[in-house]
Amino acid sequence: MDDLKRKYLAAIDAAGSEAALEDLRLAAVGKKGEISLKMRELGKMSPEERQTAGPALNALKDEINSALAAKKSALGDAALNERLRGEWLDVTLPARPRRMGTIHPVSQVTEEVTTIFADMGFAVAEGPQVESDWYNFDALNIAPEHPARQEFDTFYMHRAEGDDRPPHVLRTHTSPVQIRAMEKQGAPIRVIAPGRVYRSDYDQTHTPMFHQIEGLAIDTDISMANLKWCLEEFCRAFFEVDEVELRFRASHFPFTEPSAEVDLRCSWVDGTLKVGEGDDWMEILGSGMVHPKVLQAAGVDPSVYQGFAFGIGIDRLAMLKYGIPDLRAFFDSDLRWLRHYGFASLDVPTMRGGLSR
Ligand code: DAH
């Protein structure tokens, strides 16, 4: 029995794993273990022998069981310590900088334009992308037979069979937000409305979904001179140059009278745009004095109030400012493109900190 005890206690002490311990347990005190077999022999012994051997075997069994349990918990602690050592992390080490995605140029430019106009006192207004025929056209002085309806390449929503109301449309411009904002707030009002618009068109500079930003300023004494100043201020700030020159070219929009398309003096040097100098002109937006019928449709009295409106293509601004050649790539979700043209997520544009740094 002493031999058994020495043998097993030494083996348990030396065991290197829980599996090895389990093997030892089976060999010693398992059903067919050495000590269990010895206990079965008790039956063959004389009562005197049994009297000493029985308690001694039981004591040996207990001792081995508790040695097994102690070793098992020691092995467990060692495994935990090993894991803790392996998973140790020095939190005082400086972090490895990693870009957590990028800001899309459309978001960046929307943010830049919004920041500039917010600085001039414009609030942000919104409207739905699925718009009624009335808001998208009629209220903006575009009657059903008006040719502008065809020029827009409008996407029409489905109407149930037999429902002959005019179908809703995917808004073709942000101008309907002018009506919604004036209905809600009345005049005086100064808002901009950035958002998605839709037209059935697809080539290098057109995608079926794109972005515009609408501007609207209505009060008792707003003139075209205010429009010109606002747009010049905007261009100076947006293109981050000291001087800009704008050219107002007579145009026609149903919702403004008079109407002007605005061109920006520029030059192209080796394919990059230089704003404010040179002999080229680039069209950047449509604008004008809001048509009295538009004010009327929105519940604003045109004999008291007047003002200007403008509409700018955001994607086009992004292409110009950041030298991006193909509009279609904007909406491909190609990660390589996004990493190349995207902006760091923590660099929020501000007037004081810089727009595009
Ligand atoms: N809605 C016009 C378009 O999508 C752009 C526009 C032109 C908006 C003149 C205006 C404006 O507010 O006054 O082509």
Side-chain angles (χ1 to χ4, degrees), residues 152 172-173 175 178 199 212 214-215 253 255-256 286-288 309-311:
F152 270 134
T172 56
H173 50 178
S175 302
Q178 289 185 31
R199 290 179 203 175
Q212 288 188 334
E214 192 80 10
F253 300 104
F255 29 90
T256 44
S287 65
F310 57 84

Side-chain angles (χ1 to χ4, degrees), residues 2-153:
D2 281 345
D3 287 347
L4 276 179
K5 176 172 160 178
R6 253 194 309 278
K7 176 171 122 184
Y8 280 109
L9 289 183
I12 288 168
D13 191 44
S17 67
E18 295 198 22
L21 262 193
E22 178 61 8
D23 288 345
L24 283 170
R25 190 187 67 79
L26 290 172
V29 297
K31 259 201 189 119
K32 289 180 180 151
E34 276 191 280
I35 293 167
S36 311
L37 293 177
K38 284 259 178 289
M39 285 176 122
R40 268 186 233 162
E41 285 170 18
L42 286 173
K44 296 180 206 152
M45 292 180 188
S46 66
E48 295 77 37
E49 280 176 324
R50 209 182 300 148
Q51 202 123 81
T52 51
L57 272 172
N58 269 325
L60 175 58
K61 190 179 168 187
D62 288 347
E63 194 170 352
I64 286 186
N65 272 331
S66 60
L68 283 166
K71 183 69 183 181
K72 189 168 176 181
S73 98
L75 282 175
D77 287 350
L80 180 62
N81 282 336
E82 186 63 29
R83 223 181 114 195
L84 288 174
R85 246 196 313 280
E87 294 176 6
W88 179 81
L89 178 73
D90 183 354
V91 294
T92 64
L93 275 177
R96 234 173 292 146
R98 180 141 61 99
R99 278 236 282 208
M100 305 285 285
T102 57
I103 300 297
H104 194 287
V106 169
S107 305
Q108 169 75 19
V109 167
T110 304
E111 206 54 49
E112 291 180 21
V113 176
T114 308
T115 302
I116 296 167
F117 282 108
D119 198 52
M120 293 191 241
F122 286 76
V124 173
E126 282 181 321
Q129 293 174 41
V130 176
E131 188 54 284
S132 75
D133 186 78
W134 191 80
Y135 280 109
N136 195 78
F137 296 124
D138 299 79
L140 290 162
N141 194 32
I142 310 174
E145 64 283 356
H146 197 289
R149 290 220 181 188
Q150 272 71 57
E151 284 163 26
F152 270 134
D153 301 312

Side-chain angles (χ1 to χ4, degrees), residues 115-341:
T115 302
I116 296 167
F117 282 108
D119 198 52
M120 293 191 241
F122 286 76
V124 173
E126 282 181 321
Q129 293 174 41
V130 176
E131 188 54 284
S132 75
D133 186 78
W134 191 80
Y135 280 109
N136 195 78
F137 296 124
D138 299 79
L140 290 162
N141 194 32
I142 310 174
E145 64 283 356
H146 197 289
R149 290 220 181 188
Q150 272 71 57
E151 284 163 26
F152 270 134
D153 301 312
T154 311
F155 286 112
Y156 290 91
M157 304 299 286
H158 185 70
R159 272 260 187 245
E161 191 109 19
D163 186 343
D164 46 7
R165 287 174 300 170
H168 278 60
V169 300
L170 291 181
R171 68 177 179 194
T172 56
H173 50 178
T174 43
S175 302
V177 186
Q178 289 185 31
I179 308 294
R180 290 183 175 274
M182 285 190 281
E183 274 181 346
K184 211 160 130 193
Q185 189 186 320
I189 187 172
R190 238 185 291 174
V191 287
I192 49 165
R196 293 184 167 172
V197 299
Y198 303 82
R199 290 179 203 175
S200 180
D201 210 349
Y202 190 70
D203 61 33
Q204 193 178 340
T205 52
H206 297 88
T207 49
M209 184 280 298
F210 59 105
H211 301 81
Q212 288 188 334
I213 194 156
E214 192 80 10
L216 174 73
I218 304 291
D219 210 327
T220 50
D221 56 356
I222 288 187
S223 74
M224 205 110 179
N226 300 120
L227 169 65
K228 186 155 189 278
W229 181 86
C230 264
L231 293 177
E232 277 171 0
E233 276 305 293
F234 163 70
C235 289
R236 229 195 311 278
F238 180 74
F239 289 105
E240 303 177 60
V241 291
D242 294 331
E243 279 315 315
V244 293
E245 190 181 339
L246 296 184
R247 178 171 79 178
F248 279 59
R249 192 163 28 79
S251 181
H252 178 264
F253 300 104
F255 29 90
T256 44
E257 182 58 41
S259 304
E261 280 174 294
V262 176
D263 304 333
L264 180 65
R265 185 185 282 284
C266 67
S267 65
W268 292 93
V269 184
D270 300 329
T272 46
L273 173 74
K274 269 207 136 76
V275 167
E277 55 187 72
D279 297 323
D280 279 336
W281 292 95
M282 189 180 48
E283 186 198 321
I284 52 162
L285 59 91
S287 65
M289 297 301 288
V290 178
H291 197 289
K293 282 192 179 168
V294 172
L295 295 175
Q296 219 154 26
V300 168
D301 183 352
S303 68
V304 180
Y305 292 103
Q306 62 178 24
F308 64 75
F310 57 84
I312 317 179
I314 293 179
D315 321 73
R316 196 172 135 73
L317 284 183
M319 291 170 79
L320 290 171
K321 182 167 177 180
Y322 295 112
I324 310 174
D326 193 322
L327 177 62
R328 291 168 295 196
F330 274 56
F331 311 115
D332 281 346
S333 302
D334 182 329
L335 286 177
R336 292 164 301 180
W337 187 93
L338 289 167
R339 283 187 196 114
H340 181 76
Y341 287 113

